[in-house]
Amino acid sequence: MIEGTAALLRWYVEQGVDEAIGEEPIDRFAAPPPAPAVAAVAPSPPAARAPTPLRAPPSPPPAQTRAPVPLESPQLVEDARTLADGCSTLAELEAAIRGFEGCALKRTAKNTVFADGTPGAPVMIVGEAPGADEDRLGKPFVGVSGQLMDRMMASIGLTRDGGFYITNILFWRPPGNRTPTTAEQGMCLAFTRRHIELAKPKVLVLAGGVAVKAVLDTTEGITRLRGKWTGYTLGDGTVIPTMPTFHPAYLLRTPASKRQSWQDLLAIDKKLKELG
Ligand code: URA
């Protein structure tokens, strides 16, 4: 029996089935509210009970008609914001994120991926979400696209050791790298906004369309926005020069675009020199 189960599991792994999740995200905002609790009814005395009918009891409703537990809701996004706003150091923020149980992505992720590099460095890079390597190691941008990011930053003299600080708009890997739901993004973004406030870099770099849209709250695509300086305004009114740029994963798929990314890197280098 155990051997049979082990063989089945081995077969699943060989076929690439390594996560017990669905392909599509569940939009819990669209889900019906949970059914109201049934009021307790006092049982009738045995004598008053109707005779038991001679037919099969009604079958239970199919699983998908049951009201889902609301794992995500606008209230949880609000909770994330309150929690994030209450943090006054990066260490407090990291602890708050690690302890936050409101985001469904945490349930399928192996690790919380907070940040890497040097807090307080002149450049802060914000990417999209941890992938499989990042989830396994608990650090952002450590897979192939992270290695490309490191080489790109090194070309303008910046390393994780003092030159830049790096994170993502999501702190948990979306299962199968699927697109995160609006609620998942909203919850993590509340923390990311505080993250930028507390790290207060000289220059913010947004890597890829998903991070650009979320952080700048825009519907404009990365192709239009990349290479153009914009500003990210902190709560105290400070405006951080912000550079939207292609995601390194995109550059790996489209090497011809590296030419434009090189222009972006030169612009970042120039801005840092201007800022002193
Ligand atoms: N892609 C990202 O956006 N972030 C990572 O941490 C890794 C890959």
Side-chain angles (χ1 to χ4, degrees), residues 113 127-131 134 139-143 145-146 167-168 207 247-249:
V113 179
E128 185 180 331
E134 289 76 17
K139 281 188 182 181
F141 283 98
V142 289
S145 56
T167 186
N168 286 300
H247 192 284

Side-chain angles (χ1 to χ4, degrees), residues 82-229:
T82 309
L83 199 57
D85 288 350
C87 297
S88 47
T89 63
L90 288 171
E92 277 176 25
L93 183 71
E94 178 171 2
I97 293 168
R98 289 189 186 281
F100 185 66
E101 299 296 334
C103 185
L105 295 177
K106 192 176 184 184
R107 295 167 201 202
T108 47
K110 290 189 182 74
N111 270 305
T112 298
V113 179
F114 179 63
D116 197 30
T118 307
V123 175
M124 178 172 185
I125 302 172
V126 181
E128 185 180 331
D133 292 322
E134 289 76 17
D135 185 38
R136 192 165 44 82
L137 298 172
K139 281 188 182 181
F141 283 98
V142 289
V144 273
S145 56
Q147 288 156 20
L148 175 57
M149 178 66 95
D150 284 346
R151 288 198 298 277
M152 287 163 62
M153 298 306 287
S155 72
I156 54 165
L158 300 175
T159 66
R160 296 190 191 212
D161 189 8
F164 65 93
Y165 182 58
I166 190 161
T167 186
N168 286 300
I169 59 161
L170 291 160
F171 301 97
W172 300 279
R173 181 193 181 205
N177 298 337
R178 67 156 169 78
T179 308
T181 63
T182 326
E184 288 161 354
Q185 285 200 37
M187 255 176 265
C188 291
L189 197 58
F191 291 117
T192 299
R193 294 204 183 285
R194 191 72 189 136
H195 205 169
I196 300 169
E197 296 260 353
L198 294 171
K200 215 173 181 178
K202 285 186 179 167
V203 165
L204 179 64
V205 176
L206 301 175
V210 176
V212 168
K213 282 186 179 156
V215 175
L216 299 180
D217 193 17
T218 178
T219 52
E220 289 264 25
I222 181 69
T223 318
R224 288 175 77 93
L225 294 177
R226 71 134 282 282
K228 295 184 192 130
W229 284 109

Side-chain angles (χ1 to χ4, degrees), residues 238-249:
T238 310
V239 180
I240 310 261
T242 300
M243 174 60 78
T245 194
F246 288 137
H247 192 284

